[in-house]
Amino acid sequence: MKKYLYLFLASLALTACKKNNTTEIQPIDVNVNVSYNLETSTYKLPLNVVKVKVTNVSTKTVREFNVSEKGTLLISQLSPGAYDIDASATISAADYTAITAIPVDRAVTFNASLKNKQIAVGFNETLSLNLRAGFTGDWVIKQVYFAGSDRVNGALYRDQFIEFYNNSDKVLYADSLYFAETVGLITKSTANSYNLLASTGQLDWSKSVNMPANIDANNDYIYARAFLMIPGTGKQYPVQPGKSIVVAQTAINHKAPFTGTDGKQVTVINPALTIDLSGADFEAYYAPLLAKPLASDIDNPNVPNLTVLSYFGTDMIFDNPGRYSYALIKADGTQSPKDWPMYNYPTKATPSSTATKYYQIPNKYVIDAVEVQPVEADDRIPKKYNSALDAGFTYVPLGSYTSQSIIRKTEKTVNGRIVLKDTNNSTEDFTFLNVATPRGFK
């Protein structure tokens, strides 16, 4: 009897082992090829300086790798799931000039990324990362406070602002700096209404009504729903090295009670959740443009108003979930940005004659760009910016109405001047503040 019992138990154990072996999810090895987007250039840039960061979207686990001299990489033992894969390379000014014979005065950074890449069981695709040089400039977007503060105890969205920073070692002038809140596909449920790019899932602007056929509407331009300019005569608003300009939606102390244009007093229940913007350098004032302005849109006579080329809504109200992105623009003397063309969304149905149009902004005049995304991975939307503008994206970890802002990281301090990190990859360059702080640092 014991003999048969032993045989039965052994058979049961063997069956269990076979069952476990067949249901176990095996990790995956993924091959990656990395290259530079050098088009017709005759020179070659080193590939063994490229670093690749792989982030599990769900667990936030990060792994980092170095690329071989041939530009190849094997990412081993990946669990099935969604991943953000970022590649970057920084080549010193001296090395870049020696290799290319192109004189530059600062290091050149290249970036490439794949966002929310699904790695499933049986995945055997070789991933390609094509590195592009980013546009680095003296001006950078330092901080964006789009989340707003608590809807009951804070200031809602009235206290939003954006901050620009002189990241150079010389005096710059803010006169005629433009910035834009840029548009694109922001919801998944309405995707069937638009012409989309198969490669990115983003809007196919080449299908917009009256779009010229001889331009690359998707890769050489961005599109703005709000397009605003800092006024000035040319050298009216100097900004010292390592200093900021703060652009407020409404330049008042949002911690203190105020009286709206309707005569009603507004009091914030918890002033610690909001900020004082009475010292802002510029403010948006939309009231003269609207038939029914917001009562909270108060004009501070001590703070210059922005020039509004186009606007959305009833004030400079940034999207609280983080579905739009931000670009800083500086045109040369040959350009008149207010005369740049405007186009409708590329809808499958012909837009009406009164449908909203959006400024088309050439990428070559974008001096900095920050891609913003919602905090939850399931809410992420296709990127609006290519890797030459921003290879990554950033977000506030607690989401809407939390008082949090995104802020560029400090890279180093030179003779007391803070230099902010600028690799044209917002995933690497930005972090957050728990409470937005105009002119603060992190």
Side-chain angles (χ1 to χ4, degrees):
M1 185 69 179
K2 287 182 179 179
K3 178 180 178 181
Y4 291 113
L5 180 61
Y6 291 148
L7 288 172
F8 172 75
L9 292 175
S11 175
L12 186 65
L14 182 60
T15 302
C17 288
K18 287 182 177 178
K19 184 176 181 181
N20 288 340
N21 286 339
T22 57
T23 58
E24 182 181 356
I25 297 176
Q26 298 295 326
I28 302 155
D29 293 342
V30 177
N31 288 294
V32 179
N33 282 338
V34 179
S35 60
Y36 289 96
N37 182 34
L38 298 177
E39 298 177 348
T40 59
S41 303
T42 56
Y43 52 81
K44 292 184 178 180
L45 296 175
L47 286 161
N48 58 354
V49 300
V50 178
K51 298 187 181 300
V52 174
K53 185 174 78 170
V54 180
T55 306
N56 185 298
V57 171
S58 298
T59 66
K60 310 302 182 187
T61 303
V62 176
R63 295 171 64 187
E64 295 185 345
F65 303 87
N66 293 319
V67 174
S68 74
E69 293 180 355
K70 295 182 179 179
T72 58
L73 168 66
L74 176 65
I75 303 174
S76 61
Q77 301 290 293
L78 273 185
S79 299
Y83 290 86
D84 290 339
I85 303 171
D86 296 277
S88 64
T90 300
I91 300 175
S92 70
D95 288 346
Y96 187 81
T97 299
I99 294 169
T100 67
I102 301 171
V104 294
D105 59 1
R106 66 187 67 186
V108 179
T109 299
F110 293 80
N111 288 289
S113 68
L114 294 170
K115 296 299 184 183
N116 202 32
K117 182 66 179 178
Q118 300 296 321
I119 308 294
V121 174
F123 185 90
N124 59 6
E125 174 187 347
T126 297
L127 302 180
S128 295
L129 294 169
N130 193 228
L131 294 157
R132 292 175 178 268
F135 298 99
T136 57
D138 295 331
W139 287 107
V140 295
I141 298 171
K142 177 189 173 188
Q143 186 174 186
V144 188
Y145 177 41
F146 59 85
S149 53
D150 191 85
R151 286 171 280 194
V152 176
N153 299 312
L156 191 65
Y157 49 71
R158 299 187 302 270
D159 52 358
Q160 293 174 330
F161 71 88
I162 189 168
E163 182 177 356
F164 309 127
Y165 187 76
N166 180 354
N167 210 31
S168 77
D169 59 358
K170 57 183 179 292
V171 175
L172 300 175
Y173 295 89
D175 308 53
S176 296
L177 267 181
Y178 294 79
F179 67 97
E181 186 183 25
T182 55
V183 298
L185 187 69
I186 65 165
T187 59
K188 299 173 184 177
S189 60
T190 58
N192 291 335
S193 302
Y194 299 97
N195 290 295
L196 303 180
L197 291 164
S199 57
T200 65
Q202 193 46 264
L203 296 176
D204 184 356
W205 288 95
S206 70
K207 300 294 195 300
S208 298
V209 173
N210 297 323
M211 182 67 70
N214 62 342
I215 66 171
D216 190 342
N218 295 305
N219 294 310
D220 291 344
Y221 301 89
I222 58 174
Y223 299 83
R225 73 170 187 172
F227 194 27
L228 306 123
M229 183 187 79
I230 294 173
T233 58
K235 291 190 175 182
Q236 187 174 349
Y237 298 112
V239 181
Q240 298 298 317
K243 300 297 180 182
S244 295
I245 50 174
V246 174
V247 178
Q249 182 189 129
T250 303
I252 62 173
N253 182 2
H254 294 274
K255 294 175 175 288
F258 70 92
T259 301
T261 57
D262 58 358
K264 297 179 181 179
Q265 189 177 69
V266 179
T267 301
V268 174
I269 295 174
N270 185 354
L273 296 177
T274 186
I275 52 181
D276 181 357
L277 286 174
S278 59
D281 299 283
F282 300 92
E283 70 174 351
Y285 185 52
Y286 285 13
L289 307 172
L290 304 173
K292 190 177 180 180
L294 287 177
S296 61
D297 193 8
I298 300 168
D299 187 17
N300 184 338
N302 298 315
V303 178
N305 293 328
L306 297 169
T307 299
V308 181
L309 282 77
S310 70
Y311 65 93
F312 180 87
T314 52
D315 206 344
M316 191 185 76
I317 301 173
F318 298 146
D319 184 65
N320 300 89
R323 296 170 298 179
Y324 294 87
S325 296
Y326 303 90
L328 187 59
I329 297 106
K330 185 70 173 178
D332 60 32
T334 68
Q335 298 294 306
S336 176
K338 69 180 179 61
D339 297 324
W340 284 345
M342 303 174 74
Y343 296 98
N344 298 113
Y345 270 136
T347 52
K348 291 184 177 178
T350 302
S352 69
S353 58
T354 59
T356 303
K357 292 185 176 182
Y358 304 92
Y359 266 104
Q360 183 188 60
I361 300 171
N363 285 1
K364 63 183 178 181
Y365 298 117
V366 176
I367 56 176
D368 195 30
V370 177
E371 178 99 21
V372 177
Q373 289 275 352
V375 57
E376 297 295 336
D378 289 344
D379 295 331
R380 300 270 163 84
I381 51 182
K383 273 177 59 64
K384 300 174 186 67
Y385 297 151
N386 61 33
S387 58
L389 294 180
D390 187 354
F393 61 80
T394 187
Y395 55 87
V396 290
L398 294 182
S400 302
Y401 303 110
T402 58
S403 303
Q404 292 186 328
S405 66
I406 57 169
I407 187 166
R408 194 176 288 272
K409 298 173 185 175
T410 296
E411 183 178 33
K412 59 185 176 181
T413 301
V414 179
N415 297 325
R417 174 177 63 87
I418 293 176
V419 178
L420 302 180
K421 189 172 183 179
D422 183 18
T423 68
N424 288 295
N425 184 337
S426 290
T427 304
E428 300 298 323
D429 294 344
F430 277 79
T431 183
F432 67 94
L433 293 174
N434 273 321
V435 177
T437 306
R439 305 184 209 283
F441 290 92
K442 187 70 177 282

